[in-house]
Amino acid sequence: MHLVFSTKERKKLIPPAWRERLWAYIGGIARENKMKALAVGGTDDHMHVLASLPSTMSVAKAVQLLKGGSSKWLHETFPEGKEFAWQEGYGAFSIGISAVDDTIAYIERQEEHHRKRTFEEEFVAFLDRHGIEYDRRFVFG
């Protein structure tokens, strides 16, 4: 599953100094919960996780564990990040095994990618590509 979620109100709440540790921590949450994080990355206002979930775990539960655990850790680790919060929703996109390598590369190139395209533009492209109907008010605020 390719999971995508943003910070609350898409505020730029993930400074570069936090990212490597946050991505690693999210990988640890996945491991502790029998998920396999194949790639974790993002920018200052959102993140991507490519994960293999155990057959007994729902996507909603996986996202709850990743978002809840990482938010708690951020507040404990970076006191200056008291404003930090994830958005309520998320995107979850299933991918075929043949798309794993391309998806990993895509997640690893987030900084470069978002010099050309906003998170909102990216997310709408995912929704459109997967044929998912959406309300623009919830994507663009």
Side-chain angles (χ1 to χ4, degrees):
M1 294 300 298
H2 182 177
L3 308 171
V4 184
F5 43 93
S6 88
T7 56
K8 188 171 185 178
E9 299 171 2
R10 287 181 249 346
K11 291 182 181 175
K12 297 181 183 312
L13 298 174
I14 309 171
W18 298 4
R19 291 182 198 158
E20 192 171 318
R21 289 178 65 191
L22 175 58
W23 304 161
Y25 192 81
I26 287 173
I29 293 170
R31 209 171 19 262
E32 289 293 317
N33 290 281
K34 302 194 177 16
M35 293 179 255
K36 183 176 181 183
L38 304 171
V40 180
T43 65
D44 54 5
D45 66 353
H46 75 283
M47 71 170 309
H48 296 257
V49 179
L50 178 60
S52 175
L53 309 183
S55 60
T56 56
M57 183 179 291
S58 70
V59 172
K61 181 64 175 179
V63 172
Q64 175 194 21
L65 291 166
L66 296 171
K67 287 169 57 174
S70 62
S71 183
K72 180 179 186 295
W73 176 81
L74 272 169
H75 288 127
E76 292 170 353
T77 307
F78 302 103
E80 67 276 21
K82 62 181 177 245
E83 184 185 359
F84 180 85
W86 293 116
Q87 72 176 24
E88 284 188 36
Y90 61 89
F93 308 95
S94 61
I95 64 160
I97 194 73
S98 62
V100 167
D101 290 341
D102 287 344
T103 304
I104 290 170
Y106 173 78
I107 291 171
E108 289 174 347
R109 290 191 312 264
Q110 281 296 292
E111 288 290 333
E112 172 188 329
H113 175 73
H114 285 290
R115 286 189 199 113
K116 302 173 190 154
R117 191 179 218 184
T118 67
F119 168 74
E120 291 87 351
E121 291 168 335
E122 169 190 60
F123 196 68
V124 165
F126 275 116
L127 295 171
D128 289 343
R129 189 174 321 126
H130 289 269
I132 299 170
E133 291 183 24
Y134 57 92
D135 186 327
R136 292 183 62 83
R137 293 174 298 170
F138 298 115
V139 175
F140 293 101

